[in-house]
Every structure is written in C-alpha cells, then in structure tokens.
Amino acid sequence: MAEQKRDYYEVLGVSKGASDEEIKKAYRKLAKQYHPDRNPDNKEAEARFKEVNEAYGVLSDKDKRTKYDQFGHAGVDPNFGAGGFGGGFDMGDIDLGDIFGSFFGGGFGGFGGSQQRASAPQRGESLRANLTITFEEAAFGCEKEIELTRTEDCEECHGSGCQPGTTADTCPECRGAGVVRVQRGGGGFSFSTSAPCTRCRGTGKIIHSPCKSCGGGGSIRKKRRVSVTIPAGIDNGQAVSLRGQGNAGKNGGPSGDLIVGVRVAPHPKFQRDGTTVLYEQPVSFYQAAMGAELEIPTIDGKVKYTLPAGTQTGTTFRLRGKGIPELRGRGRGDQYVTVKVQVPTSLTSEQKEALNAFGASMGEAAAEGTVKSFFDKRKKKK
C-alpha cells in the first residue's frame, strides 16, 4: 500500500531541500491544526494528524530521510507510524508540551510539558470598580470610599478549608498535584494528557472535616468599604490600581488587585485638554470697546484680569499656572480664556438713539447692507 501514500514533503508542505528547522516548524503548525483535541470526532483531521506524524517521523531522522530521498516509501518501514507514537516514532527534540500546552491549560502530561501543582500558591483574581468624581476633585485629588464584594480567606480556618484542629490529607489519587494523566486517542494511536483529579476535584487534598464557616472552600464572600486615593491631575477614563485589594489567593498565594476606573463629571463652565483648562468669558460690547476690569473664574477661584480696549470677540488670552496639575509630577498647565462679545437683543428707545448716534458718527446706518470696518473708513478718509 506504500504507493498510495502521499509524498512526505508534500504532507508537511516543505521542499525537498528544507532544513531540519523548517521541517520542525511545519510539523508544529500542522500538529496543532489537526490535533484530535481541537477536532473532536473529526475522522479526516485524525487521519491527517497521523499522516503528519508519520511524515515527520521519517524526515526528522537523518538516516530515514536519506533512504526516503533515494528509494521513496519503499526505502523506509512501510508500517512506520501505524502503531501510533509507540510504533517506532522518535519524538526527537520536539516538546509536545510546547505544542499542545494551549489545549490543556498547562503542561502536556507524559511529554515533558511543565505541570503546575494544584496545591501551589495561586494569585487571586483582580476586581474592577467604577468611580465618578468632580472636575475639581480630578484636578486636585481626593479620598473616596467604594463598596465592593470580594473573596477573602475564611477567618475560622484561615483559608485551609478544615475545621479548626484538623488537617487535610494529600489526595492518594493525584498525590497532591490536583491533576492526573489521562490516556487519549484511538484509531491506532494514543497519547497522555493532564486532567483535573476527580477524587479531590483538582485541589490536591482530601478534607475529612470541612470548616463549618466556609464549607471547606477556604474562602468566603464579604462586603467591604475600601478607601481610594485619587491622585491630583487624573483624567477621565484613567484608572487607579490598589494592590492586594482584590480576591484572596489560594494556597497562600497573594490577593489580586482592585482596578478603579475613574469618570470625571463634566463641568458647567470649564473644559479640559490634558493639563489645559479652557473657558469662555462673556463680555458686553461696551466692555470690549472700552476695556474693563474682569473677574475670571478658575479652578482656584476668581482672578482679576484687565481687558484691553478694542478687544475682538474670539480673542484668547492665557492665565499661566491656572490649569490642571501634572499627574504624579511637578508643575501645572495653563488656563486659556476666549472672549465672547455679547450683542444686546433688546434695547430701549434711548439706547437705540444712542447707538444710532454712534453709528452716524462712524459713518454707518442701520439700513446699510454691508458694514465697512473702522480701518477701511480711516483709509478712505486719508
């Protein structure tokens, strides 16, 4: 039946001059793609997986590859690979723990993959919470409290899960590892993988007298109020991390973190761009034309500013150091103030007469379709 087999180089998708590293790389890729655990109950994938293993078994062996290159399938054992990994297949330096680790959540039992014991210390899960603060609180920092529910070590058994005065025994089935080797495969090939121990439910220990407070789990759920320090200069969408304020770890492992997402409420007057504060200052036509002493709101309070005569609407001026403090740094940003000249919408008869007189003195009339600028009129007079 050797003549019915596909060319081994074709099976791996490499050329006949491919290096050992190229062959190994191609094998890893195809072994992942057609592995039975990724393709359950898929006979076609199972056949391709065996074919890939058979091809690699020949091409990864220097002597077998030489014979195959000279005589084809007839130059190598025609039954090679028919008996699975035990039928003469040399794994060489391929680490199946590296190839299949992602399938089993850890080491690939029986093939040299690393295997973490269930009894080893494990870090607790991190928690997330959200907090809304004011514009000023974000600028200058503040202290807040949030309420959360988290997992903590049981105070009664201190996380052991055993009734005080008793201890747990090492699981005889998995010897404390929490996982056992399971034989998988079929159709002429087999391999070992890791699976949670059913006797101890993956804990690696047998508790004969469970703690009454936590039921043997070693942890309980509790509501807590946690103080959060919001640093000055924090911006909307940023977060504060509180180490060790998340869920408790297992087997003496450290607790997870608490990640607090910050939302800064909009301000009715100010806008923010990084460390810069933006503000629009309304002024009257009279103030813009004649100049005025203004009181400008800032996040520090009101400051005085002398508005020059003849200021045009849209003019922007800067107040140095009146912006947002640098986050965890030195210095502050500035505040930029944009002048908005307000045009009166309702006038008394006396005010209209005064404005008409002013317009006449400037050579303007209310009925004119266009209004020449003051400078254009001065040029014309010259």
Side-chain angles (χ1 to χ4, degrees), residues 179-330:
V179 291
V180 293
R181 291 177 60 182
V182 178
Q183 203 74 11
R184 295 175 181 266
F189 70 99
S190 62
F191 50 90
S192 297
T193 65
S194 299
C197 176
T198 56
R199 183 166 182 177
C200 64
R201 297 182 181 179
T203 63
K205 57 186 180 181
I206 303 296
I207 299 177
H208 300 288
S209 300
C211 172
K212 295 179 180 179
S213 296
C214 63
S219 60
I220 55 176
R221 301 279 290 173
K222 276 195 172 183
K223 286 187 176 181
R224 293 290 187 186
R225 295 191 68 85
V226 178
S227 178
V228 183
T229 299
I230 304 299
I234 198 167
D235 206 347
N236 185 59
Q238 294 181 326
V240 177
S241 179
L242 280 70
R243 293 192 177 277
Q245 294 295 331
N247 284 335
K250 295 181 179 180
N251 304 319
S255 297
D257 300 334
L258 172 61
I259 312 299
V260 181
V262 176
R263 175 185 176 272
V264 181
H267 195 279
K269 295 181 179 179
F270 303 125
Q271 290 185 341
R272 178 176 174 177
D273 183 8
T275 60
T276 298
V277 173
L278 306 175
Y279 174 71
E280 289 187 352
Q281 175 65 46
V283 298
S284 67
F285 171 77
Y286 177 80
Q287 289 173 317
M290 301 299 292
E293 289 292 327
L294 303 177
E295 285 191 339
I296 308 296
T298 72
I299 58 176
D300 296 305
K302 292 183 178 181
V303 298
K304 290 185 178 181
Y305 179 79
T306 301
L307 185 71
T311 298
Q312 303 297 308
T313 189
T315 299
T316 298
F317 57 87
R318 178 169 60 179
L319 301 178
R320 294 183 182 274
K322 293 300 181 182
I324 305 294
E326 295 280 353
L327 182 62
R328 298 187 180 89
R330 297 180 179 179

Side-chain angles (χ1 to χ4, degrees), residues 62-130:
K62 184 176 181 180
D63 293 335
K64 291 179 181 179
R65 182 178 180 182
T66 299
K67 292 179 181 179
Y68 179 75
D69 288 343
Q70 291 178 340
F71 306 108
H73 292 291
V76 295
D77 183 359
N79 294 318
F80 182 85
F85 295 154
F89 179 61
D90 181 9
M91 296 304 293
D93 57 356
I94 291 293
D95 181 6
L96 286 186
D98 177 51
I99 296 177
F100 305 125
S102 61
F103 301 152
F104 307 115
F108 187 80
F111 290 109
S114 60
Q115 178 174 292
Q116 181 180 359
R117 295 175 63 90
S119 57
Q122 299 177 31
R123 188 173 185 272
E125 294 181 351
S126 292
L127 299 177
R128 294 194 67 90
N130 296 313

